[in-house]
Structures are given as C-alpha cells and as structure tokens.
Amino acid sequence: MTRPWQTIAHVETAEGALELRQRGAQDFLITIAGRVLMTSQARRSEEALATLPLRDRAPAALRDVLVGGLGMGYTLRAALDVLPATARVTVVELNGDVAAWCRGPLAPLTGAAVDDARVTIVVGDVSHHLAHAARGTYDAILFDLYEGPHAATQSPDDPLYGPRALGRVRDALRPGGVFAVWSEEADSRFERRLADAGFRVEKHRAGRGGRAHTVYLGYTSR
C-alpha cells in the first residue's frame, strides 16, 4: 500500500498556500495552491542546469556564481560539486521558509548544500537583485525558478525574461560568462530574445525519455 502524503510545513503566499509534503524518509514534494512545483524524485533537469554550464569551465572562470531560486537545493548541490573550493555562490530565494526547509527536513537530500562555506543565501527577488548588481559581477547566473519562460512572460516589461531583464543579466556577467535558464518546455520566442540580447544560445533537453525539461544556455562574448 502506498503511503499517503503528509503536509509537514505550510506558509501562505500571494499565490496561495506553499506546502512541503513528505512520504517516507526521502520522498518530498513542494506544492503551491495545490499544484506540484517539484519533487525529490525528479531532479535531472535541475542538476543539468548547473552541470551543463559549469562542468567544463576552468576553475579560474568560476569565481562568482548566482543561483536564482533554491527549490529543494538540487541545482545548488550540483553546482557545488563542480565548482572549485574558492568559488562564491549567492542564492537568491524569494521565500525564507524554503531556505529553512533546505536547512531542515530537506537537508539530507543534498548533503546540507545551503550550509556549504561557499554559499550565501539572500532572501529576496532575483530580478531586484540583478537590477542592483554591479556590471561584471558574476561568471555564471543560473535561473532555477519554478516558473520558467512561457507565453505569459513575453512582455518587454517581464521582470525575469523580458528584453530589458535579459539586458540586466548580460550586464551583470563578466566577459565569457554564462546564463542558464530552466524551462518546463521549449520557448522559441525566449530563445530569440536571448540571442537579441547579445547571447550565443544553446538549447538542451535535460534527460532522455519521459518528461524532459529544457535548459537554455546563453554565453557572453569574451
């Protein structure tokens, strides 16, 4: 008999109830307004978001990394596993409760990635963070947000995926930097906006078979 899900944490947000649910020792999911955002059993695209842009880069080119969105910490864990000991990773997470969950019941899933000495957690909006970032601050920026680019994010004023937002990302990257974006599905208009913003674009399908999400990589010129 399948064990029922138990809600072990609950917080009200502007978008509805954000909940952490558990079934057994290591089976977790996060929902918002009853909709599943992520599960502990499906993480290959979140891990690919870090490994694809970071694993083949020289350690000297990975001093400062920004991760937008924490989730269950799988992207952060994958990034830490390929980053040098000298790297600095800033994670901007909108909800402080999510960071607390990653320090609490979710910590064993990632070896307590949030407590790594290289990591700084900032509770806030990553679009606001980037709007105030100095030019050339980061070598890599990874967007691990629960809502990737899609039809409703096509506005020029979209704070995350619109043209002006992509320009701010580009400006915050050092020459030769990389911008990685998780997307639930391919979005050709977003791909064009990345190119128009001055990025050299790659598109990857994370995983084989079953449901596979898309990871976009945008590289700045050296």
Side-chain angles (χ1 to χ4, degrees), residues 36 55 57 60 62 74 94 96 100 110 113 134-135 144 172 174 186 198 206-207 219:
V36 175
R55 65 186 174 189
R57 299 174 74 81
L62 292 171
Y74 287 121
L94 190 61
T110 63
R135 182 179 291 270
D144 183 22
R174 294 179 179 128
Y219 293 92

Side-chain angles (χ1 to χ4, degrees), residues 57 136 138-139 173-177 220-222:
R57 299 174 74 81
Y138 298 106
D139 298 295
L173 285 167
R174 294 179 179 128
T220 61
S221 58
R222 296 185 179 278

Side-chain angles (χ1 to χ4, degrees), residues 73-89:
Y74 287 121
T75 295
L76 175 60
R77 177 73 269 163
L80 292 171
D81 287 347
V82 297
L83 287 171
T86 54
R88 297 181 293 263
V89 183

Side-chain angles (χ1 to χ4, degrees), residues 26 43 47 72-74 76-78 80-81 101-119:
Q26 290 192 314
R43 57 181 185 268
E47 293 169 340
M72 291 185 176
Y74 287 121
L76 175 60
R77 177 73 269 163
L80 292 171
D81 287 347
W101 297 347
C102 286
R103 287 194 171 96
L106 297 177
L109 301 181
T110 63
V114 294
D115 292 326
D116 190 288
R118 293 169 287 178
V119 175

Side-chain angles (χ1 to χ4, degrees), residues 23-99:
R23 182 177 62 188
Q26 290 192 314
D27 201 0
F28 293 87
L29 58 80
I30 294 177
T31 66
I32 190 162
R35 177 167 64 94
V36 175
L37 298 182
M38 61 199 72
T39 81
S40 57
Q41 300 303 314
R43 57 181 185 268
R44 63 187 179 187
S45 60
E46 288 86 350
E47 293 169 340
L49 180 66
T51 57
L52 285 170
L54 301 180
R55 65 186 174 189
D56 296 326
R57 299 174 74 81
L62 292 171
R63 292 167 290 171
D64 293 280
V65 175
L66 175 68
V67 179
L70 178 57
M72 291 185 176
Y74 287 121
T75 295
L76 175 60
R77 177 73 269 163
L80 292 171
D81 287 347
V82 297
L83 287 171
T86 54
R88 297 181 293 263
V89 183
T90 301
V91 181
V92 182
E93 167 55 46
L94 190 61
N95 194 299
D97 291 274
V98 172

